[in-house]
Amino acid sequence: MRRILMVLLHADADSFFASVVLRRRPDLVPVPVAVSAHVFVASPNYPARARGVRGGMLVHEALRICPELVVIDVPRTEVEEASDALFDIFHQSAHTVEPGSMEEGFLDPGTSDVGAAVELARTIRRRAMVELGLPVSVGIGRTKLMAKLASRAAKPDGLYVIDAQREAELRSSLPVGDVWGIGAHTKERLRLIGVHRLHDLDRISPDELKRVCGTTMSSRLQRIREGTDEATLHPVEGRTSLSSEGSITGFARPDWTPTELVAACTLRVCRRAERAGLAAAGLSLTVKSEAVGPVIVLKHQAPDPTSDLNYWAAVSRDLLTQQTLPRVVGVRVTLTGLVPPNRIPPTLF
């Protein structure tokens, strides 16, 4: 078996929001489906993607290009619980996990043996499907970028390994727009100096590259070209916060009042904390409004960490009503300072 210096996995649930919904709606699996958040498409399934529906698209635009699209409002409770369960599998399977989003993460399998990493990836995919009903694609590569490119190649519902030969090809021929973390603005600036693929960087001086895309990005691009890009995971050593969010307006459902939405988000996040066996020292309420400008963040610190739903429900309700707010369109409730109950210091007085 060929051995390499390091092996990383990137595990990514396919069409996560849509996959969560379709677990209880198998009749919709073969038809175009999109899960919406507010007025945007949060996650289309693959039949919808084949019709041109994309994440972030306005729902009315998606319906215009795909009139038969079935649109379902995002089931926040189910999605958040599925994410927690998915990461339980990741943490039980790997030595180290670095979350990327609620449905994806980088995993250190604790081995440089590609065959062993492949077997671990198969186990993760099997557990996710059997225990959660979720398809997960896994990519294997030597660095984070290579592992993420591999998981893209694995989709949908597959497993892909980028070996040394394929890695060398990608470090030369990969379009810069396909590099994880490069946005449209940087891509356009690179195009103007003739950088379309990674090998085009060889013609550009470090000073010019830095002028065009900044110190951090220019350094990253040079490391990618050289094969010295990041391969170190940065785990979250125990959760210190949990969040739940939602929108006032949803597709094909009655609008909620701000009070109802805050109560629902607080209930969801408290149940997740209880499931994880955690108590919270604080709560922050992030309010998104129609007003132009930054979001409003309201905070409360508890005298002692607690997991009492009634306490946090009253706190979030009071935060919402303690000042006059612009018209609310969405909220996020975050429990902070999470600790296991056995680590809460006793009250001295």
Side-chain angles (χ1 to χ4, degrees), residues 15 30-33 44-54 65-66 68-69:
S15 301
V31 304
V33 174
N45 67 352
Y46 282 90
R49 294 182 188 202
R51 294 293 306 276
V53 179
R54 296 288 180 267
I65 64 174
C66 182
E68 68 271 34
L69 183 69

Side-chain angles (χ1 to χ4, degrees), residues 51-186:
R51 294 293 306 276
V53 179
R54 296 288 180 267
M57 181 180 288
L58 287 167
V59 170
H60 72 78
E61 181 184 354
L63 289 168
R64 179 181 58 79
I65 64 174
C66 182
E68 68 271 34
L69 183 69
V70 177
V71 182
I72 300 173
D73 192 55
V74 58
R76 294 283 181 181
T77 300
E78 194 177 359
V79 163
E80 291 166 2
E81 291 178 350
S83 173
D84 290 342
L86 181 63
F87 271 88
D88 285 345
I89 291 176
F90 291 170
H91 283 286
Q92 292 160 10
S93 304
H95 282 226
T96 306
V97 178
E98 179 183 325
S101 66
M102 68 188 308
E103 74 269 18
E104 64 168 315
F106 293 100
L107 286 69
D108 175 5
T111 179
S112 59
D113 188 312
V114 176
V118 168
E119 285 305 310
L120 178 63
R122 288 172 176 161
T123 298
I124 291 170
R125 284 172 27 78
R126 181 173 60 252
R127 286 191 62 188
M129 180 54 72
V130 172
E131 298 174 24
L132 308 179
L134 296 175
V136 173
S137 293
V138 180
I140 299 175
R142 188 177 61 84
T143 67
K144 287 183 180 179
L145 174 62
M146 291 298 139
K148 195 168 181 76
L149 291 173
S151 71
R152 288 180 188 172
K155 288 183 176 294
D157 193 18
L159 169 60
Y160 189 85
V161 179
I162 291 181
D163 60 16
Q165 179 180 347
R166 180 58 179 152
E167 179 180 339
E169 294 170 354
L170 288 168
R171 291 193 185 280
S172 176
S173 63
L174 185 70
V176 292
D178 288 347
V179 174
W180 162 47
I182 288 188
H185 179 67
T186 300

Side-chain angles (χ1 to χ4, degrees), residues 333-346:
V333 176
T334 302
L335 293 179
T336 60
L338 294 172
V339 293
N342 60 8
R343 286 179 51 194
I344 299 175

Side-chain angles (χ1 to χ4, degrees), residues 125-337:
R125 284 172 27 78
R126 181 173 60 252
R127 286 191 62 188
M129 180 54 72
V130 172
E131 298 174 24
L132 308 179
L134 296 175
V136 173
S137 293
V138 180
I140 299 175
R142 188 177 61 84
T143 67
K144 287 183 180 179
L145 174 62
M146 291 298 139
K148 195 168 181 76
L149 291 173
S151 71
R152 288 180 188 172
K155 288 183 176 294
D157 193 18
L159 169 60
Y160 189 85
V161 179
I162 291 181
D163 60 16
Q165 179 180 347
R166 180 58 179 152
E167 179 180 339
E169 294 170 354
L170 288 168
R171 291 193 185 280
S172 176
S173 63
L174 185 70
V176 292
D178 288 347
V179 174
W180 162 47
I182 288 188
H185 179 67
T186 300
K187 178 183 175 182
E188 175 60 17
R189 298 196 71 176
L190 289 169
R191 184 191 68 80
L192 293 174
I193 61 170
V195 176
H196 305 280
R197 297 180 181 272
L198 289 179
H199 62 70
D200 294 328
L201 293 168
D202 298 345
R203 299 184 286 99
I204 308 300
S205 71
D207 287 343
E208 184 178 9
L209 189 60
K210 187 183 298 185
R211 177 185 61 79
V212 168
C213 55
T215 301
T216 301
M217 181 57 74
S218 63
S219 176
R220 179 168 180 250
L221 286 170
Q222 289 171 329
R223 291 197 304 271
I224 290 171
R225 180 71 178 113
E226 296 164 357
T228 59
D229 48 305
E230 190 175 16
T232 301
L233 301 193
H234 304 283
V236 177
E237 297 295 349
R239 289 183 171 173
T240 58
S241 67
L242 283 172
S243 296
S244 180
E245 62 184 294
S247 301
I248 293 294
T249 301
F251 187 84
R253 70 159 169 84
D255 289 352
W256 290 352
T257 66
T259 300
E260 289 171 338
L261 181 57
V262 167
C265 290
T266 305
L267 174 62
R268 289 200 301 261
V269 76
C270 284
R271 283 180 173 172
R272 292 171 63 199
E274 181 181 22
R275 177 179 177 272
L278 298 170
L283 180 145
S284 67
L285 173 63
T286 303
V287 179
K288 304 172 187 176
S289 71
E290 287 185 333
V292 177
V295 296
I296 299 167
V297 181
L298 308 170
K299 297 182 178 182
H300 172 87
Q301 201 70 16
D304 297 294
T306 178
S307 57
D308 185 350
L309 168 62
N310 292 329
Y311 175 82
W312 291 120
V315 165
S316 61
R317 183 173 59 250
D318 290 346
L319 287 175
L320 182 68
T321 58
Q322 73 181 12
Q323 61 180 279
T324 302
L325 297 170
R327 186 174 183 275
V328 177
V329 297
V331 303
R332 179 189 301 116
V333 176
T334 302
L335 293 179
T336 60

